[in-house]
Amino acid sequence: MVRKTPLLAVEIAGLQMKNPLILASGILDTYAETMLRIAEHAGAVVTKSVGIEERKGYENPVIFEFKHGVLNAMGLPNPGIEKFGEEMKKLRECRAPIIGSIFGKDEREFVLLARKMEMYGAAAVELNLSCPHASGYGMEVGRDPVLVKSIVSAVKEAVKVPVFVKLTPNVTDIVSLGLAAEEGGADAVVAINTVRGLRIDIEFKRSVLSAGIGGYSGPGILPIGLRCVFELKRALKIPIIGCGGISTWENVIEYLMAGASAVEVGTALREDAGLFKKLERGVKKYMERKGYESVEEVVAIAHRNR
Amino acid sequence: MPLHTEIVEVVEENSSVKTFRFKFGAKVKPGQFCMVWDGVGEEVPMSFSYIGKIKGITVKKVGKTTELLHQRRTGEILRIRGPFGTQYPIQPKRYLLIAGGTGIASLSPAAEEILVNGGSCRFIAGFRTASEIFFVERLRKAGIDVAIATDDGSAGFKGFVSELVKKFDVEHFDYALACGPLPMLKAICRTLVDEVETYISIESLMKCGIGLCDSCSVCGFQVCKDGPVFRAKDLIENGWLVE
Ligand SMILES: Cc1cc2nc3c(=O)[nH]c(=O)nc-3n(C[C@H](O)[C@H](O)[C@H](O)COP(=O)(O)O)c2cc1C
Ligand code: FES
């Protein structure tokens, strides 16, 4: 057996992870084979957000890369919850916990999807209440605290596995959303999903994405994600999973210090398939150098040192 | 970063295939592809069919987007993202190249590079019918021996390239490179993979083109990043040929 590094082991809402590094939803996580490969070095893996029906997503172009990150409007392409069962079956052999991400337009859909994911063996569900570009879904549901609370509590009643709520930064007050999730009974919140953004193709005189407005991810949104986690930490009791713009181990430490108990990593994987291994090594070395004995000791340190 | 470039030449290869030539500064290796967008239709993945100073893509009309691309004229603008993906191995060795249909577009620059690098190659090209043949003159002018197969027998061997391949003495080659429709690639691999080091280029649906979205994956590999050129054995070991 591979020896785990206890120094980095974390537990969130009962999920045991060998390190606090999680694959973010929508990145290399549609097919079981890809997730299994990434799970070798990640603490956990979130699946692509899955809905009731199969969706093709938007027409290409759905992605635009530039210096500071990536703009995307995929349009939630996914095989639908029934078919996704086949991938989940293949993931049973996976040692890292699999977190099933789901998106729906109302309580009823979220409950149905969460039950399915639980049945498939997901270790937790992550409610996508934050996708910025699919009409009728994501942040269109998730920017209203009243809706967030009612969806979360409906899902909590329906399943036994922990419920994570992925929040949108595209609101004036992300803390009110975090509080709503907590009041609904969420076991953790994930912050943040992509930031609404736009680029224009000046030759073709139109958006670079077929869908128009998209979601901005990658290094450029790091300060926004960190700020959201920092604000949420001041207000919430439940754990926070940080996400947004991480590309180095230093960024991971920043998130921990801002108040995240674990982090999700997405866009940076495009450049470096071996990223999780590098992040793990970097975080571990830093902790050893600073004399920490657990990740928990680092969490929210920046709140005390001001 | 994407690059906008003017079309400098449009060549009609046959009634349903056109080549678009354009300036593109980056170095492109044989087998690599780009994401092409004309600002009107969808953005689509295309193999580079020319990799010299003036690059090229060769487009077969198969649907709405490629029909729109076919309307593009010299002087109009294309947006190119890339080059992306892996390349064919190019060494001073003996090669057998096997193309089905538009697969010849991706393999032609490979053939030319092999010659430049002191290798030798024989080419097998399959088409549905004689009137669809393209790029063969280009290869023959470069001094490459091209054997033709057509489904209807209107030129060369009557039948699939995967049948014609069986008539070749595979031990005379160090490498086989193949590009074409999936059933053809599978048939070729079944015949060749134990006899000669085989590389194949796979066509796949692509959305991001940069190894992020997982939409192009086959048996745990991303075609856009780990491919499109794969060592056949690597795929087969991961269950690619299992039905
Ligand atoms: C191509 C792409 C697809 C995404 N798909 C989803 C999705 O299906 N569900 C979701 O909750 N987040 C999705 N996201 C958002 C990411 O999970 C993540 O929250 C965001 O990209 C910020 O993290 P990063 O900067 O590390 O990428 C997607 C992001 C990208 C770039
Ligand atoms: S097209 Fe997105 S991973 Fe290959």
Side-chain angles (χ1 to χ4, degrees):
Chain A
M1 212 184 104
V2 190
R3 231 188 88 73
K4 306 234 169 78
T5 42
L7 182 61
L8 292 190
V10 294
E11 189 200 309
I12 293 184
L15 254 63
Q16 306 284 346
M17 304 192 285
K18 69 175 174 188
N19 65 42
L21 309 166
I22 306 172
L23 175 70
S25 179
I27 314 293
L28 296 174
D29 54 2
T30 300
Y31 295 100
E33 291 87 352
T34 315
M35 285 184 264
L36 283 169
R37 200 185 67 216
I38 288 177
E40 282 171 31
H41 296 290
V45 169
V46 186
T47 68
K48 175 73 194 165
S49 294
V50 178
I52 304 278
E53 303 279 350
E54 178 174 357
R55 277 169 70 102
K56 278 198 151 56
Y58 296 126
E59 282 195 349
N60 281 359
V62 290
I63 213 124
F64 181 78
E65 278 188 283
F66 57 108
K67 203 167 148 196
H68 313 286
V70 168
L71 200 61
N72 94 83
M74 304 290 299
L76 293 172
N78 80 98
I81 192 71
E82 283 309 320
K83 231 168 122 196
F84 196 66
E86 290 162 34
E87 304 305 316
M88 290 297 287
K89 211 195 261 169
K90 293 183 221 159
L91 288 169
R92 294 234 166 104
E93 60 185 272
C94 186
R95 275 209 231 108
I98 303 294
I99 301 164
S101 172
I102 53 179
F103 70 94
K105 64 177 184 308
D106 53 29
E107 260 173 49
R108 194 188 61 82
E109 285 195 5
F110 270 105
V111 164
L112 202 152
L113 292 161
R115 283 207 178 115
K116 281 274 179 190
M117 278 293 188
E118 178 175 51
M119 202 183 84
Y120 292 156
V125 289
E126 183 179 287
L127 314 186
N128 177 350
L129 289 168
S130 43
C131 178
H133 49 68
S135 107
Y137 296 105
M139 67 170 271
E140 292 198 9
V141 190
R143 65 185 159 198
D144 175 357
V146 179
L147 262 179
V148 169
K149 185 178 166 185
S150 71
I151 288 170
V152 175
S153 56
V155 172
K156 272 304 283 182
E157 261 174 51
V159 297
K160 289 193 193 67
V161 292
V163 176
F164 300 166
V165 180
K166 188 163 176 188
L167 302 175
T168 176
N170 304 304
V171 287
T172 34
D173 181 14
I174 194 169
V175 173
S176 65
L177 293 179
L179 286 169
E182 186 170 87
E183 282 164 25
D187 297 278
V189 294
V190 181
I192 54 176
N193 207 314
T194 51
V195 179
R196 266 164 80 81
L198 176 71
R199 292 292 305 269
I200 304 283
D201 186 306
I202 63 168
E203 291 298 329
F204 299 148
K205 304 165 197 162
R206 51 169 291 185
S207 166
V208 296
L209 301 174
S210 77
I213 286 174
Y216 179 22
S217 63
I221 69 165
L222 180 74
I224 302 171
L226 282 166
R227 181 267 297 172
C228 289
V229 167
F230 194 84
E231 286 186 339
L232 287 162
K233 187 64 189 175
R234 280 200 303 229
L236 303 194
K237 289 177 214 71
I238 55 175
I240 298 157
I241 298 170
C243 178
I246 294 173
S247 63
T248 65
W249 65 263
E250 289 95 332
N251 299 158
V252 177
I253 303 283
E254 281 189 82
Y255 264 104
L256 297 176
M257 291 189 167
S261 302
V263 296
E264 292 184 5
V265 183
T267 303
L269 271 117
R270 96 195 124 127
E271 291 195 332
D272 191 353
L275 185 64
F276 276 107
K277 210 172 162 180
K278 280 184 205 156
L279 295 179
E280 182 178 50
R281 197 183 323 129
V283 170
K284 187 166 168 241
K285 274 199 177 149
Y286 174 85
M287 287 179 44
E288 283 167 352
R289 176 156 63 84
K290 296 286 182 186
Y292 291 115
E293 277 164 22
S294 76
V295 171
E296 257 163 72
E297 289 175 34
V298 187
V299 175
I301 274 190
H303 289 260
R304 279 173 259 144
N305 302 336
R306 270 195 301 150
Chain B
M1 290 287 239
L3 181 121
H4 292 89
T5 180
E6 227 175 82
I7 299 169
V8 295
E9 190 188 2
V10 182
V11 186
E12 205 161 324
E13 308 289 359
N14 65 38
S15 61
S16 64
V17 176
K18 281 185 183 178
T19 294
F20 299 87
R21 305 291 305 268
F22 50 85
K23 289 187 191 139
F24 185 73
K27 181 148 179 52
V28 175
K29 312 228 171 87
Q32 288 191 304
F33 73 99
C34 57
M35 299 293 289
V36 182
W37 190 36
D38 67 353
V40 183
E42 283 203 59
E43 186 193 43
V44 282
M46 288 287 161
S47 293
F48 282 97
S49 58
Y50 288 90
I51 61 172
K53 203 157 162 239
I54 306 290
K55 308 288 191 289
I57 54 166
T58 299
V59 183
K60 187 182 167 75
K61 224 193 299 186
V62 288
K64 198 183 83 189
T65 296
T66 45
E67 263 165 41
L68 284 166
L69 267 175
H70 268 230
Q71 293 168 20
R72 302 276 73 88
R73 306 276 171 258
T74 304
E76 292 187 314
I77 305 278
L78 295 176
R79 193 193 78 174
I80 308 287
R81 286 199 288 138
F84 295 136
T86 53
Q87 57 165 320
Y88 296 109
I90 307 286
Q91 281 168 34
K93 294 273 170 84
R94 299 164 303 173
Y95 286 78
L96 177 61
L97 273 51
I98 309 142
T102 49
I104 197 169
S106 131
L107 279 172
S108 294
E112 289 160 356
E113 281 289 296
I114 288 165
L115 295 191
V116 169
N117 281 274
S120 68
C121 59
R122 286 222 58 190
F123 210 108
I124 307 177
F127 299 92
R128 272 204 301 249
T129 183
S131 62
E132 289 189 359
I133 292 173
F134 70 96
F135 275 9
V136 169
E137 271 316 297
R138 165 185 173 186
L139 293 168
R140 286 188 175 145
K141 261 191 213 148
I144 294 162
D145 185 356
V146 187
I148 304 248
T150 50
D151 298 359
D152 62 1
S154 51
F157 173 83
K158 181 177 192 301
F160 292 150
V161 275
S162 48
E163 292 304 313
L164 181 53
V165 155
K166 292 183 183 156
K167 299 191 182 300
F168 280 70
D169 239 337
V170 181
E171 20 184 281
H172 293 317
F173 301 99
D174 304 303
Y175 284 102
L177 313 181
C179 183
L182 210 52
M184 168 208 138
L185 292 178
K186 292 198 170 178
I188 298 268
C189 282
R190 289 200 176 94
T191 309
L192 293 184
V193 86
D194 293 328
E195 312 291 329
V196 55
E197 184 73 293
T198 304
Y199 283 76
I200 54 171
S201 174
I202 295 189
E203 282 185 5
S204 167
L205 168 91
M206 284 180 198
K207 287 180 175 289
C208 73
I210 54 173
L212 260 190
C213 72
D214 214 18
S215 64
C216 65
S217 297
V218 289
C219 32
F221 297 100
Q222 279 68 58
V223 174
C224 67
K225 200 170 162 198
D226 305 319
V229 178
F230 291 95
R231 184 172 165 260
K233 282 212 168 111
D234 292 339
L235 287 180
I236 292 166
E237 274 165 19
N238 283 278
W240 185 66
L241 275 181
V242 181
E243 291 310 314

